[in-house]
Amino acid sequence: MLQVKGLKIQQGDFALGASFDVPLGAHVAVIGPSGGGKSTLLAALAGFLPLKEGKLSFQSQSLVEKTPGERPISMVFQDNNLFPHLTVGQNVGLGLRPDLKLTEAQKTDVEGALKRVGLSGYSARKPSALSGGQIARVALARVLLQNKPLLLLDEPFAALGPALKVEMLELLKELIVDSDITLLMVSHDPDDAKRIASHVILVAEGTAHPLAEVGKIFSNPPEALKTYLG
Amino acid sequence: MYSSRYPPVALKDEEMKYLTIAAGLVMATTAHADTPVLNVYTYDSFTSEWGPGPAVEAAFEEVCGCDLQFTAAGDGAALLARLQLEGAHTDADIVLGLDNNLVAAATETGLFAEHAPLNAEYALPIEWDDSVFVPFDWGYFAFVHGEALEDVPANFEELAASDLKIVIQDPRSSTPGLGLLMWVKAAYGDRAPEIWAGLSDNIVTVTPGWWEAYSMFLEGEADMALSYTTSPAYHLIAEEDGTKASAPFDEGHYMQIEVAAKLASSDQSDLADQFLEFMTGEEFQTIIPTTNWMYPAVTPAEGLPAGFETLNTPSISLLTPAAEAGTVRDAALEEWLSALSQ
Amino acid sequence: MGAAAVALLLFLTFGTLIAVALQSEGVARLSAADWAAVRFTLLQAFLSAVVSVALAIPVARGLARRQFWGRSLLITLLGAPFILPVVVAIIGLIAVFGRTGVLSDALAIFGLPPVQIYGLHGVVLAHVFFNLPLATRLFLQGWLSIPAERFRLAASLNFGPADMRRVLEYPMLRKVGPGAFMLIFLLCMTSFAVALTLGGGPKATTVELAIYQAFRFDFDLSKAALLAMVQFGLCAAIAIAAFWVTLPASMGVGLDRVTQRWDAMRTVSKISDGAFLSTAAVFLLLPLMMVVVRGAPTVLTLPGPVWASVGRSLIVAFASTVFLVVLALPIAIWSTTLKRRSVGAMVEGMGYLTIAASPLVIGTGLFIISFRYVNPASLALPVTILVNAAMSLPFALRSLVPSLLDIEQNYGRLSSSLGMSVWSKMRLVVLPRLKRPLGFSCGLSAALSMGDLGVIALFSDPSQGTLPLMIFRLMGAYRMDDAAGAALLLLLLSLSLFWLFDRGGRTNAAG
C-alpha cells in the first residue's frame, strides 16, 4: 500500500496538500484542472520535489529519505522519455542497468520487452526514426524491464492523437493487467480514467482528494469534480 | 653590428641548424659526449648565412676542439634584456653584440666576468681598456639612401624639415636605435627633444632591430634607413651596386664599438676566454669587414678590403664616454619617448 | 574538480596580479610615454569600436532586408575573423594597404602618393577588420529578432522609412548598440599583436605592448608590473561598465532568414544597401585573397624552421584544447549542478574573468613567480598552452553551460529515476549530448591557440617559436613572400582544426 499522510509541498506561491492511501495493484487516474497540482503530486511522489511536511511510505517503508532512483517507482514523463543519442535497445536497457553493461541474458530480455510492446527488431534504431506512438511504446518497454511495483505516468500520451491514445491505453492495460503493479496516471481527460482506472484521485486548487472508486465518483461527482467536468 | 647589410634572405642559419641539432641530439650524446659546447648569444644578422657566423664557427671549431653554437637572441639591446631575463639559468657562455653605449648598463647587472688578459692592438678611434668587454668591430652610424634621392639632407634639421620617409630602430631593443638617440643628444644636447619632435613626421615606423628597418628600406617602404657609413660597401662589393650611399651629416657622426663578453655563470670559462682571444685575432678580424660590413677592431695584415676607401669618413666623430653613457641614455630615452609619443 | 579548476583560474587572474602588484611596489610612477600609451590604448579602442559599430549598422541592415546570391556565404564569412589568426590578417592588410600594397599601386595610377599603414590608423584599420564582422552579426541578430508580424503591421499602417526607423529600428539599435560597442572596446583594449606589428613606435604603443617592451627591451620588471596593474585597472573598469549594458551573446543562430521590408523597395535604399554590402565584402575578402595569392607560390617550399614551428604550434593547439576541456567541463558542470542557482552563476561568472584579463599581465605574473627557479624560455610553450586555454574558456562556457542546463532540465529527472550513478550519467547522457558544443568549443580553442601571438612573444626563445611568431619574424625580416606562404599555411591549419573538431562534434550527435 502507498500511504500519503499530511503531505505538503511548497513551490513558490503554489502549495499542494495530499492525504490518501492507494491499495496495492490499484490503477489510479489522477485528474483535475491544469495548474491544480497533478504533475506536482507525481513529481513529489517520485522524489523530484522536496516535501515540506508529511509522510510518504510504500509497504510500510518510508520513501522520504530515498533518492528517485532508490524508490520502488518507475516513471514515464510527458516527453523527453528517450535519450535521442541512444538506440531504442539502449534506452530500454537502461531499465535494467543504468550503466548499460548488459549481459547476454539481459539483452534477450530487452528484445523480449520490445516484442511485448510490438517493436520487435527496432532495437538498433535511434528515437529520431520513430513515431510518437512508437516512442511511447519504447518508454513502456523500459518500464516493464524496470519492474518496479509503482508506475507513475505523467500525461504520457497527451501529445498523441485520440485513436493512438486509446491504442496506447489498451496496450498499457494489457501490459499491467497480470501484474500487481500499482499505477498512478495523470490525465486531464476523464475518459482516460474510465478506460483504464479502478480509482480516481481528484487534484484541484492545491488539494489532492482521497481515493475514490471510479464508478462511484463519476456517477456521483463531488463539487470540485463537477466544476472541473463542467 | 647590424651592418651586415646583405639582403635579408636566410632564415637564420642557427634555425636551420636547430632541426639537424635536434635530430642528431641522440647520437651526439653518445658519440660526442666529451666535446665541449660553447654557447654564444648574438644578434640575428650575425648568424645569418651571409653574416660572419658560419665562417667564424668553422674557423674556431678548427682550433678549439669544441662545438660552437650561435643563438640569435633578438637585437643588440634586447640581448642584454634576454640575459637578464634568463639570469643564472642562461645557457650562454658568451654574449656577442653589445656596444659601448650598453657597457655601463651591462656591467651593472653583474652577469659578466673579466676575461683573461689579451694583447690585441686595437685599431679603434678611441683608447679601449676594459677588463670585461672585448671589442670586435666598430663603425659610424649614418642614414643610407638609394641613388634616386635628390636633396640629400646634410644634417638632422634639414632631414626634419624635409618630407623624406625614414625607418629607425627602437633604442630600447636595438643598438643602432640607441646609437641614434646618443647621436642626436651628442650633437644637439638640450635641443634634442626639439629635433625629435621635428623628425616625428618623417618616421614611418620604429622597428625592434636593424634587420627589420634595413629590410623595409630595401623593399621601398622608406627613403632612408638608419644604418652605417660602411653599409654601402655591401652593395658595392657583394652586389656590385654602387647606387647606395650614406648621407654625410655636418654635425658629425656617432661611433659604435661592438663588444663581446663572457658570462659569469659560464661552465666553459676557459673556452670562452679562448674564443675572446680568437675574436681579436687575424682570422676573425679578416672575416668581419665583408660579412658584418663594419671596420675591424684590429686591422688585419692585408688591410681593409678594396671598396672601403670609397666610403664616407665623417669629419667629426661623436662619442659619449662609456662611463657616462648609461646616465645620458636614460635621460635621452625619456626625451625620445615623450617627443615621439605626442 | 570544478573547485580545482576555478582555483586555477583565480590563480591565473588574481594570483598573478598579486605577484605583479608585489613586484611593482615602490615604483609608482608612470612616465609621460606610459601615459601616452594609456591614452593611445583608450583612443584606439574607442575609435575601433565607434568605426566598427557605425559601419556595421548599414551593413547589417542591408543583410537583414536583402536576399542576394552569396548572402549566406557572406554571413558565414562574417564568423571567420573569430578564428582568423591576427598575423594572417595583418599580412593581408599590409598587402592591400601598405606603402607597396594594392591600394598604393592604384593611387599611383592617378598620381596620388602612397598610403602608410603604420600608426593609429593602421591599428584602427586592423581592429575594424576584425570587429566589423562581429558587430555586423550582432546587429543582424537584432534586426532578425524583430518579429516579422511587426514589419507587416508597419506596412499595413503605411510606414515610411523614417517611421520604420523611429518605431522599429532605433529601439533595437539602442538595445544592441551599447553592448556591441563595449564588447569591441574591451577586445581592443588588450590587443597586442596588432599594435606590435602595425604600431609605429612610441606614438602608437598600447599598454599591452608597453608591458612587452618593458620586459623584452628594458627588462624592467617593476615597470612591466606597474603597467600590468594599469592594464588590469583599465580592463576591470571597462568590464564593469560593460556589465551595465549587458554584453550580447555573440553565438547567434538562424541568420539565414530575411525580413520582408516593404519600405525598402525604393531605388535609393537598394543602391545604398548594395554599396555598403559590396564595400564590406571587398574590405573583408581582399586581404584574405592577397594572403592566398602571395602565399600560394611559397607555401610548399617554406624553409625547414617554419615546418618545425608548425609542429610546435600544433602541439600548443592540441594541448591547450585538452587543457580547455579539463578546465571548462568541471566548471560548467559544477556551476549547473550547484543547488543554489545564484552560486552556480557566480562559479560560471568566474569562468568569464579571463575575457577582461590580459594575457600579457598573466604572463608577466607567471614570469615573476617562476623566473628565479627555472629558465623562462623552457616555460614558453607550457605557459602559452595554459594562457590560451584560459583565454578560450569564456567562449567554451558560453556554449557548454546552456547545453548542460538543457540536458539537466530534459533528462535530469529521467536519469535519476533510472538510478544512474554520477559517472554513468556523465558517460551515457551528458558527454554524448554535449558532443556538439564541446566540439565547437574545442575547435574554437584549437584555432585560437594555433594563431595566437601574445604571451609566447614574452617568453619565447627564437629557436622555440610557434608558427605565428615565425611569421612575425619573417615579416620583420621583410620576407613578405615567405611570410605570406607561412600565413596561408597558418590560415589553412586554423580553419582545418576548427572544422575538424566542430565536425567531430556534429557527426553521430543525433537529435
Side-chain angles (χ1 to χ4, degrees):
Chain A
M1 183 150 57
L2 174 69
Q3 286 183 299
V4 179
K5 230 180 242 163
L7 204 69
K8 273 239 165 66
I9 305 148
Q10 187 81 37
Q11 271 202 304
D13 289 341
F14 180 77
L16 177 74
S19 277
F20 55 81
D21 294 342
V22 180
L24 214 56
H27 296 171
V28 181
V30 181
I31 60 171
S34 48
K38 301 187 296 288
S39 294
T40 308
L41 176 63
L42 250 66
L45 297 182
F48 297 128
L49 292 175
L51 304 185
K52 201 176 167 203
E53 52 189 72
K55 286 184 184 157
L56 177 61
S57 62
F58 183 70
Q59 302 294 75
S60 311
Q61 288 225 318
S62 174
L63 299 183
V64 179
E65 309 75 23
K66 294 191 159 144
T67 65
E70 291 166 355
R71 297 188 185 201
I73 292 174
S74 56
M75 191 157 183
V76 179
F77 301 92
Q78 267 181 37
D79 41 36
N80 291 318
N81 281 300
L82 304 187
F83 296 104
H85 58 283
L86 300 180
T87 64
V88 165
Q90 285 175 311
N91 268 295
V92 175
L94 285 171
L96 287 172
R97 287 202 61 153
D99 62 2
L100 275 185
K101 289 173 184 154
L102 301 182
T103 63
E104 281 309 313
Q106 285 171 322
K107 283 180 187 162
T108 315
D109 291 347
V110 168
E111 287 303 327
L114 279 171
K115 193 173 171 198
R116 283 184 68 188
V117 298
L119 290 178
S120 287
Y122 278 68
S123 181
R125 298 208 190 176
K126 286 279 180 78
S128 56
L130 300 183
S131 69
Q134 288 170 328
I135 287 174
R137 282 167 192 266
V138 177
L140 289 179
R142 186 171 62 214
V143 163
L144 288 176
L145 286 188
Q146 277 183 280
N147 199 23
K148 299 274 184 92
L150 264 170
L151 170 59
L152 307 186
L153 305 177
D154 187 0
E155 296 201 56
F157 315 125
L160 305 179
L164 201 51
K165 190 164 84 172
V166 170
E167 192 187 316
M168 294 310 302
L169 286 172
E170 293 301 326
L171 173 66
L172 177 63
K173 217 161 142 184
E174 187 189 316
L175 292 175
I176 59 175
V177 71
D178 295 331
S179 69
D180 52 2
I181 283 180
T182 309
L183 170 76
L184 268 82
M185 182 178 88
V186 168
S187 171
H188 56 260
D189 185 351
D191 289 343
D192 289 0
K194 290 174 192 159
R195 192 174 297 279
I196 195 167
S198 57
H199 297 80
V200 165
I201 291 175
L202 175 65
V203 182
E205 289 164 356
T207 308
H209 295 260
L211 203 66
E213 272 180 46
V214 72
K216 286 181 188 164
I217 198 166
F218 283 114
S219 56
N220 186 16
E223 209 44 44
L225 184 60
K226 264 190 211 158
T227 326
Y228 170 54
L229 295 173
Chain B
M1 76 177 239
Y2 275 96
S3 71
S4 21
R5 71 310 286 236
Y6 35 82
V9 228
L11 250 230
K12 332 310 184 231
D13 166 45
E14 145 276 326
E15 285 171 345
M16 297 285 195
K17 257 174 31 193
Y18 171 74
L19 284 179
T20 351
I21 289 168
L25 210 60
V26 187
M27 281 175 284
T29 43
T30 50
H32 307 287
D34 49 348
T35 307
V37 176
L38 186 69
N39 279 305
V40 178
Y41 279 18
T42 185
Y43 44 82
D44 296 353
S45 57
F46 194 91
T47 64
S48 119
E49 59 181 297
W50 309 106
V56 167
E57 188 181 340
F60 187 63
E61 282 180 355
E62 203 139 290
V63 295
C64 72
C66 70
D67 180 8
L68 174 61
Q69 293 185 1
F70 284 114
T71 300
D75 292 278
L79 269 179
L80 184 58
R82 170 78 189 278
L83 286 170
Q84 286 175 278
L85 192 141
E86 294 183 356
H89 302 288
T90 187
D91 292 331
D93 299 303
I94 295 260
V95 61
L96 183 153
L98 304 179
D99 78 351
N100 46 309
N101 292 322
L102 288 171
V103 160
T107 309
E108 248 176 62
T109 66
L111 289 171
F112 302 97
E114 294 197 358
H115 58 76
L118 295 167
N119 45 11
E121 293 227 358
Y122 294 127
L124 300 172
I126 57 159
E127 194 65 32
W128 191 269
D129 182 25
D130 193 302
S131 56
V132 175
F133 298 94
V134 185
F136 62 91
D137 66 16
W138 66 283
Y140 298 101
F141 293 114
F143 283 94
V144 174
H145 60 82
E147 186 181 31
L149 197 69
E150 297 162 17
D151 298 327
V152 176
N155 51 51
F156 282 106
E157 285 175 293
E158 279 186 30
L159 176 60
S162 76
D163 53 9
L164 291 171
K165 293 293 170 202
I166 59 172
V167 259
I168 63 170
Q169 300 83 354
D170 196 309
R172 292 167 295 177
S173 56
S174 145
T175 56
L178 179 55
L180 179 62
L181 200 70
M182 305 297 281
W183 184 4
V184 173
K185 194 70 189 166
Y188 290 94
D190 293 344
R191 285 188 58 214
E194 177 196 327
I195 297 294
W196 280 114
L199 288 173
S200 171
D201 60 347
N202 298 90
I203 299 169
V204 174
T205 190
V206 180
T207 66
W210 172 86
W211 175 287
E212 291 91 331
Y214 206 73
S215 311
M216 281 185 76
F217 158 66
L218 291 181
E219 286 281 330
E221 292 269 335
D223 300 307
M224 303 207 290
L226 177 69
S227 192
Y228 298 86
T229 56
T230 40
S231 299
Y234 161 73
H235 300 283
L236 185 69
I237 297 169
E239 294 188 324
E240 298 182 349
D241 164 16
T243 61
K244 301 284 190 292
S246 66
F249 275 19
D250 53 25
E251 61 264 76
H253 288 251
Y254 197 83
M255 283 189 300
Q256 178 183 38
I257 295 143
E258 293 197 283
V259 300
K262 178 171 78 172
L263 271 295
S265 58
S266 168
D267 53 0
Q268 295 290 346
S269 185
D270 292 342
L271 199 54
D273 279 329
Q274 194 190 340
F275 180 81
L276 291 176
E277 192 176 0
F278 172 83
M279 190 181 78
T280 51
E282 178 73 12
E283 219 169 340
F284 185 104
Q285 291 295 318
T286 315
I287 295 170
I288 282 295
T290 53
T291 51
N292 216 29
W293 306 96
M294 294 284 276
Y295 293 114
V298 178
T299 312
E302 287 182 19
L304 292 171
F308 267 66
E309 72 286 353
T310 65
L311 302 171
N312 290 331
T313 31
S315 44
I316 308 171
S317 333
L318 303 171
L319 188 69
T320 308
E324 297 163 31
T327 340
V328 177
R329 171 195 179 269
D330 291 347
L333 183 62
E334 201 78 351
E335 288 173 7
W336 180 84
L337 279 169
S338 43
L340 289 194
S341 61
Q342 295 316 305
Chain C
M1 246 186 112
V6 168
L8 178 64
L9 211 61
L10 288 177
F11 164 74
L12 277 182
T13 43
F14 293 113
T16 52
L17 192 71
I18 291 168
V20 162
L22 292 176
Q23 182 74 38
S24 69
E25 240 179 354
V27 271
R29 202 181 71 90
L30 289 176
S31 68
D34 299 331
W35 282 114
V38 170
R39 278 197 305 277
F40 180 80
T41 303
L42 293 171
L43 177 68
Q44 59 83 17
F46 177 79
L47 288 179
S48 304
V50 166
V51 175
S52 301
V53 166
L55 290 179
I57 291 173
V59 175
R61 187 175 56 182
L63 277 174
R65 66 187 187 185
R66 301 278 168 218
Q67 183 63 266
F68 53 91
W69 185 86
R71 181 178 179 275
S72 63
L73 191 73
L74 187 58
I75 289 176
T76 309
L77 186 79
L78 290 177
F82 216 72
I83 50 169
L84 182 70
V86 179
V87 271
V88 173
I90 286 168
I91 296 226
L93 288 170
I94 290 177
V96 176
F97 298 99
R99 204 182 189 213
T100 50
V102 177
L103 182 62
S104 290
D105 290 352
L107 289 175
I109 299 173
F110 303 104
L112 292 167
V115 285
Q116 292 288 352
I117 196 176
Y118 299 97
L120 174 64
H121 55 287
V123 171
V124 172
L125 181 83
H127 284 160
V128 171
F129 179 83
F130 274 99
N131 293 303
L132 172 62
L134 174 66
T136 304
R137 282 177 74 99
L138 294 175
F139 283 116
L140 184 55
Q141 272 171 36
W143 250 289
L144 297 183
S145 69
I146 303 176
E149 294 78 16
R150 301 239 179 99
F151 286 109
R152 279 186 202 160
L153 180 63
S156 72
L157 293 172
N158 204 21
F159 274 21
D163 308 314
M164 205 64 121
R165 276 199 290 276
R166 198 184 64 247
V167 178
L168 289 175
E169 297 184 332
Y170 282 160
M172 183 278 289
L173 292 179
R174 264 200 301 277
K175 220 172 70 195
V176 179
F181 177 88
M182 292 310 287
L183 182 65
I184 295 172
F185 197 99
L186 196 58
L187 291 174
C188 294
M189 284 285 297
T190 53
S191 165
F192 169 69
V194 168
L196 178 67
T197 45
L198 293 180
K203 213 185 292 184
T205 296
T206 57
V207 177
E208 200 87 340
L209 183 55
I211 296 172
Y212 166 80
Q213 288 168 340
F215 227 106
R216 294 302 299 233
F217 293 0
D218 294 336
F219 194 67
D220 188 340
L221 279 186
S222 304
K223 170 63 85 58
L226 183 61
L227 286 165
M229 294 296 287
V230 170
Q231 176 74 329
F232 182 86
L234 288 175
C235 288
I238 304 293
I240 288 166
F243 189 74
W244 288 105
V245 299
T246 59
L247 291 183
S250 55
M251 257 58 103
V253 283
L255 296 180
D256 45 358
R257 205 159 60 79
V258 180
T259 59
Q260 267 187 296
R261 292 284 293 269
W262 292 269
D263 64 314
M265 298 305 178
R266 296 173 315 151
T267 321
V268 184
S269 62
K270 278 187 185 165
I271 291 175
S272 78
D273 280 357
F276 275 113
L277 286 172
S278 47
T279 309
V282 169
F283 174 60
L284 295 176
L285 276 175
L286 195 58
L288 293 183
M289 272 166 49
M290 290 305 291
V291 171
V292 176
V293 170
R294 280 196 84 163
T298 51
V299 71
L300 291 177
T301 55
L302 289 168
V306 173
W307 294 106
S309 73
V310 167
R312 278 188 292 272
S313 274
L314 284 172
I315 291 170
V316 168
F318 281 109
S320 68
T321 303
V322 169
F323 201 69
L324 169 80
V325 174
V326 172
L327 271 181
L329 265 186
I331 292 180
I333 290 170
W334 195 34
S335 87
T336 50
T337 49
L338 276 170
K339 284 280 176 316
R340 304 244 316 260
R341 196 50 205 130
S342 59
V343 183
M346 219 170 79
V347 169
E348 187 192 346
M350 286 179 192
Y352 294 131
L353 277 175
T354 54
I355 209 168
S358 134
L360 286 208
V361 174
I362 297 178
T364 308
L366 289 176
F367 181 88
I368 289 167
I369 292 168
S370 68
F371 85 105
R372 286 183 191 84
Y373 313 107
V374 277
N375 185 347
S378 66
L379 285 181
L381 293 188
V383 165
T384 308
I385 288 165
L386 189 68
V387 171
N388 280 341
M391 289 296 142
S392 345
L393 187 61
F395 305 111
L397 288 180
R398 263 259 153 96
S399 71
L400 289 179
V401 168
S403 304
L404 273 171
L405 286 174
D406 238 35
I407 293 170
E408 195 51 43
Q409 191 175 355
N410 287 338
Y411 304 108
R413 288 183 169 187
L414 178 55
S415 307
S416 37
S417 85
L418 291 169
M420 286 187 177
S421 70
V422 174
W423 284 112
S424 295
K425 184 175 167 190
M426 188 55 65
R427 184 168 58 86
L428 292 169
V429 183
V430 177
L431 285 180
R433 305 243 21 106
L434 264 189
K435 260 180 101 177
R436 255 175 118 130
L438 204 56
F440 174 79
S441 304
C442 288
L444 209 59
S445 159
L448 288 176
S449 312
M450 187 79 207
D452 176 64
L453 175 58
V455 76
I456 181 87
L458 214 54
F459 285 79
S460 85
D461 160 335
S463 62
Q464 292 293 322
T466 53
L467 183 55
L469 193 66
M470 183 62 85
I471 295 172
F472 173 60
R473 297 183 65 212
L474 286 168
M475 282 169 68
Y478 226 83
R479 299 179 51 194
M480 290 311 272
D481 288 329
D482 277 345
L488 178 58
L489 185 65
L490 176 58
L491 178 65
L492 294 175
L493 286 170
S494 294
L495 294 180
S496 327
L497 277 179
F498 176 76
W499 184 83
L500 252 154
F501 279 108
D502 191 44
R503 186 80 207 168
R506 279 165 199 270
T507 42
N508 292 325

